[in-house]
């Protein structure tokens, strides 16, 4: 199995999530936060009920045939579950959605909704940055990395 | 294991959730010996967690701290680690301590040491080209590797990208876990810097020195790092200003044109 993409995408992207999350008792937020190439074909955003178990990989045939989306496993962090869905255009990552993320109070949700789209944008941009690792990691972003890795594994990248 | 040995010298990767964070392994020169070595390393990391976790009331460290065990009754690693902590405390004039807040807690040494141990085991298994990361601290062997340094003042950005062979890169800061580093002289959370990154050769010491440097504050930290052999530093202050030691720029990866220092770096497409 090739695991080539994760290093130049998620490792960088994941670690840069700078949430001011405190280790309090967190619930699991739901909803879709999207990021990515605005011009890329994007599946309709849907809410994922927080209580659902991690959904299996889903392939969404899209216009053009080469685009598909894969949902990663929910990765548990000490702040809650993080789960991403990746839309691939051929072998290129066109879009990364964070479909589950830790949230507790309003402030955390605001921070998440601000930071996570940037995170996805970094993941895409970082494909051309060729970075092997990042110093300065976070727990939640590690969850993002793991969920993204599992999505890419399922996609066979 | 998330990855097995590859027949075609493809890069072997593995991520392991241990010690309250994720350890990631990238082996560029895997052989048949790499998979078994990784399994042994992962077992060792979980063992280190069992012995040293301050979150586990049954760990040797917790029991030693409560006086339920003597040092001689602990895992032999404990005496070695506490000796190393004493050395670093002396090297840092007391800015590093294994008793933050008055409680026995050598975590400031253990994580970086565990990462360095993992790299040492990979070398013993024949690898000369790998990277091991744990909780945002990185030990590389061979190279070249490109390591991003997260920018605590700019969510989603990198403060710098460094490159080289056989590097250890460690970052301490308030961005990832809030103000969690205490000034050992006052037991109060440190303020003044958002983060400080040290680049050295061996992660255990580099990581512990980074913790000490963060506790010192920016002015003292950079002066102190300047005289450390084989070590360079980058600090991000509370107002976003970056400061670095004189030798730090030599580690910078080739950056976009017009870049003259760490402050100029940005990822393509992020402006």
């Amino acid at each position: 199995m090739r695991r080539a993409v994760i290093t130049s995408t998620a490792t960088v992207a994941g670690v840069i999530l700078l949430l001011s999350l405190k280790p309090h008792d967190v619930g699991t937020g739901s909803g879709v936060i999207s990021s990515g190439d605005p011009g890329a074909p994007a599946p309709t955003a849907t809410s994922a009920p927080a209580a659902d178990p991690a959904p299996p990989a889903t392939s969404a045939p899209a216009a053009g045939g080469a685009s598909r989306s894969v949902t990663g496993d929910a990765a548990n962090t000490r702040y809650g579950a993080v789960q991403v869905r990746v839309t691939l255009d051929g072998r290129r990552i066109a879009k990364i959605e964070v479909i589950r993320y830790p949230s507790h109070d309003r402030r955390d949700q605001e921070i998440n909704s601000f930071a996570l789209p940037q995170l996805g944008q970094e993941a895409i941009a970082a494909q051309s940055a060729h970075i092997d690792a990042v110093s300065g990691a976070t727990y939640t972003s590690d969850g993002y990395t793991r969920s993204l890795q599992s999505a890419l594994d399922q996609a066979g990248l | 294991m998330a990855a097995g040995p590859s027949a075609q010298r493809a890069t072997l990767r593995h991520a392991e959730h241990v010690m309250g964070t994720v350890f990631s392994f990238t082996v560029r020169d895997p052989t048949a010996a790499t998979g078994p070595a990784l399994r042994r390393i992962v077992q060792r990391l979980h063992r280190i967690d069992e012995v040293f976790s301050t979150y586990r009331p049954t760990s040797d460290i917790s029991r030693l701290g409560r006086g339920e065990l003597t040092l001689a009754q602990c895992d032999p690693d404990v005496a070695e680690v506490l000796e190393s902590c004493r050395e670093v405390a002396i090297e840092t004039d007391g800015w590093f301590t294994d008793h933050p807040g008055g409680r026995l807690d050598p975590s400031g040494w253990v994580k970086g040491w565990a990462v360095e141990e993992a790299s040492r085991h990979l070398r013993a298994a024949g690898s000369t080209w790998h990277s091991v990361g744990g909780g945002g601290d990185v030990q590389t062997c061979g190279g070249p590797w490109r390591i991003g340094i997260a920018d605590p003042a700019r969510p989603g950005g990198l403060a710098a990208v460094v490159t080289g062979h056989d590097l250890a890169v460690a970052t301490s800061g308030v961005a990832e876990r809030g103000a969690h580093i205490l000034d050992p002289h006052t037991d109060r959370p440190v303020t003044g810097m958002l983060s400080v990154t040290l680049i050295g050769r061996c992660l255990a010491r580099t990581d512990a020195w980074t913790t000490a440097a963060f506790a010192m504050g920016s002015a003292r930290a950079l002066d102190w790092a300047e005289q450390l052999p084989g070590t360079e530093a980058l600090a991000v202050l509370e107002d976003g200003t970056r400061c670095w030691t004189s030798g730090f720029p030599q580690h910078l990866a080739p950056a976009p044109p017009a870049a003259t220092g760490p402050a100029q770096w940005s990822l393509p497409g992020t402006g």
Side-chain angles (χ1 to χ4, degrees):
Chain A
M1 178 185 301
R2 282 190 58 206
R3 300 170 65 91
V5 173
I6 193 73
T7 241
S8 53
T9 59
T11 308
V12 175
V15 193
I16 303 173
L17 174 55
L18 298 170
L19 299 180
S20 303
L21 291 174
K22 298 169 287 296
H24 51 207
D25 181 27
V26 292
T28 299
S30 66
V32 174
I33 299 170
S34 300
S35 63
D37 181 355
T44 306
T46 56
S47 289
D52 272 7
T58 53
S59 289
S67 180
R68 58 191 176 128
S69 66
V70 181
T71 302
D73 297 335
N76 288 315
T77 73
R78 63 173 59 187
Y79 301 120
V82 176
Q83 189 170 24
V84 304
R85 178 163 59 214
V86 179
T87 301
L88 297 159
D89 183 7
R91 302 187 66 84
R92 190 180 71 90
I93 298 174
K95 176 175 172 171
I96 300 171
E97 298 163 285
V98 180
I99 59 175
R100 192 186 297 184
Y101 54 91
S103 63
H104 180 57
D105 55 29
R106 186 177 180 82
R107 174 169 160 73
D108 278 0
Q109 291 189 19
E110 286 172 355
I111 292 171
N112 274 309
S113 58
F114 170 72
L116 290 175
Q118 287 200 341
L119 186 64
Q121 191 63 52
E122 286 295 314
I124 295 165
Q127 284 184 113
S128 59
H130 302 299
I131 294 163
D132 301 298
V134 169
S135 181
T138 74
Y139 298 108
T140 307
S141 60
D142 287 328
Y144 176 94
T145 304
R146 280 181 283 142
S147 184
L148 179 55
Q149 176 72 71
S150 73
L152 297 180
D153 287 349
Q154 290 170 22
L157 289 178
Chain B
M1 301 292 284
S6 166
Q8 300 173 332
R9 290 179 63 88
T11 298
L12 189 157
R13 301 177 204 283
H14 179 70
E16 186 73 17
H17 200 224
V18 61
M19 297 171 69
T21 186
V22 172
F23 280 62
S24 56
F25 304 85
T26 304
V27 183
R28 296 257 194 245
D29 58 351
T31 65
T34 308
L38 269 177
R39 278 188 282 279
R40 288 195 301 274
I41 289 166
V42 164
Q43 284 176 359
R44 170 126 170 88
L45 292 177
H46 285 281
R47 173 64 186 157
I48 290 172
D49 190 31
E50 286 174 12
V51 171
F52 289 99
S53 173
T54 56
Y55 295 95
R56 297 170 184 245
T58 57
S59 71
D60 288 19
I61 278 295
S62 295
R63 298 178 67 194
L64 180 65
R66 293 195 301 266
E68 296 170 12
L69 289 181
T70 66
L71 189 55
Q73 291 171 314
C74 292
D75 185 288
D77 280 342
V78 174
E80 182 192 325
V81 161
L82 295 183
E83 174 58 29
S84 297
C85 288
R86 274 190 289 275
E87 292 172 10
V88 176
I90 293 168
E91 292 159 3
T92 61
D93 293 327
W95 289 99
F96 176 91
T97 176
D98 57 10
H99 280 79
R103 176 166 167 260
L104 177 62
D105 181 0
S107 302
W109 171 267
V110 168
K111 188 181 66 175
W113 168 71
V115 172
E116 193 183 322
E117 281 278 293
S119 174
R120 191 176 301 125
H121 277 72
L122 283 172
R123 284 204 306 276
S127 172
T128 59
W129 192 13
H130 61 258
S131 166
V132 183
D137 299 325
V138 183
Q139 174 76 60
T140 68
C141 174
W145 296 91
R146 292 169 62 92
I147 313 293
I149 297 171
D151 184 353
R154 192 167 57 100
L158 297 175
V161 177
V162 298
T163 188
H165 295 67
D166 303 312
L167 294 181
V169 185
T171 299
S172 285
V174 295
E176 42 183 295
R177 284 181 289 165
H180 67 288
I181 295 179
L182 302 178
D183 179 337
H185 303 299
T186 64
D187 281 344
R188 298 173 64 85
V190 174
T191 58
M193 271 191 295
L194 293 178
S195 73
V196 62
T197 299
L198 260 61
I199 303 177
R201 292 293 172 195
C202 301
L203 187 62
R205 238 171 192 74
T206 300
D207 187 26
W209 284 351
T210 303
T211 304
F214 190 81
M216 290 177 192
S218 58
R220 189 192 301 260
L222 288 173
D223 285 347
W224 178 71
E226 189 71 56
Q227 50 83 40
L228 290 174
T231 304
E232 301 297 339
L234 167 70
V236 180
L237 310 188
E238 280 184 333
D239 65 358
T241 306
R242 293 171 179 77
C243 310
W244 53 90
T245 53
S246 59
F248 183 85
Q250 77 193 25
H251 290 297
L252 288 175
T260 56
Q264 306 301 322
W265 178 270
S266 66
L267 280 173
T270 61

